[in-house]
Structures are given as structure tokens and as C-alpha cells.
Amino acid sequence: MEKINSELFIILMSMLPINELRGTIPIALSMNQPVVKTLLLAIIGNLIPVGPLLVFLRPVSERLRRFKIWRRFFEHIFNHTEKKARIVQKYGALGLILFVAIPLPVTGAWTGSVAASLFKIRFRYAFSAIAVGVIISGCIVTAIYRLAQMAL
């Protein structure tokens, strides 16, 4: 894979809500991409959507909820996130770090951004907490991948 294409691939894949860096890091490392570079690009890519989500999610969702189909969509997302993110509700920004850092399905930067919006955590605290959580998660995923690779 060409250098620029592999870098762009890592960033774009990390931006996706389902994949995030949890899926991107193992894919990129299995394609023999450098470990540190992969980790850094995946973190950057995973954080790109966080700012716009924190700023625009609530006002856009409030406007779109006027329409039945969007109301159902946002209610589903917010209700699902509220159930999963009780730690965020209880501990605020610290809970948000833990929620995002645990590399399990439905606990990444996208869901963390929804939780921060839902529980009205201020932008600077939310972004910082999500960034720390993403870094921790990226390190955990990388370490697990590397350990699994050594075991083989």
C-alpha cells in the first residue's frame, strides 16, 4: 500500500462510527504498517469527528426531532446511549474517560460524544475526556494486538 494511501486509510477508517480505532489498528497492523505511526494516525482520525459532534449534535437533533422519522432515530440513539453510559452520568468527565477507554463495542468516541451531549458535559471537559479515553483505548488495542502477534 502506498504511503499516503495507507495514512489516509488509517485516518478515514478511524473516523467511522462503527469501526473507530478499535477496528482500524488491528487492520493496519496486519497490513504491516508501523506501530507508532498507526496508533497516532488512528487517534487523530478517531478524534476528528468529536469536535463537530459535541458542538452540533444537540442543536441538530433538536431541529430534526420535529420530523417523526428523525425523532425515532434520535430517541433510539439517546436512549441506547443513556443505558450504556451510566458511568458517564454518575462520574461526569472522569466517567467519560473510562467509558471511551474501554475497548468494547458501543463505548468509543462517537458514543462518548453522544453521552457527553446527552449529559450536557461542557465542550472542553468532554473533548479532553474523550481524547484521553481514545488514547488509552488505542494503547490497549495496540498492546493486545502485539501480544496476540507474539503468542502466534
Side-chain angles (χ1 to χ4, degrees), residues 21 25 39 43 134-144:
L21 61 67
I25 290 172
L39 178 60
I43 289 168
V134 164
I135 292 166
I136 293 168
S137 180
C139 291
I140 291 170
V141 169
T142 302
I144 290 171

Side-chain angles (χ1 to χ4, degrees), residues 48-114:
I48 288 173
V50 172
L53 282 169
L54 292 173
V55 171
F56 297 115
L57 182 60
R58 182 159 294 282
V60 168
S61 71
E62 286 173 1
R63 284 192 188 268
L64 290 176
R65 282 182 185 192
R66 296 178 195 166
F67 305 99
K68 186 177 182 178
I69 191 167
W70 287 109
R71 184 171 46 251
R72 281 184 176 162
F73 173 76
F74 284 110
E75 283 175 4
H76 172 73
I77 288 177
F78 289 141
N79 290 338
H80 183 73
T81 301
E82 188 173 20
K83 289 176 190 171
K84 297 285 184 186
R86 300 223 188 273
I87 190 171
V88 177
Q89 188 174 19
K90 186 173 182 180
Y91 296 108
L94 180 59
L96 191 55
I97 291 171
L98 296 172
F99 181 75
V100 174
I102 300 167
L104 295 172
V106 198
T107 62
W110 279 78
T111 310
S113 297
V114 173

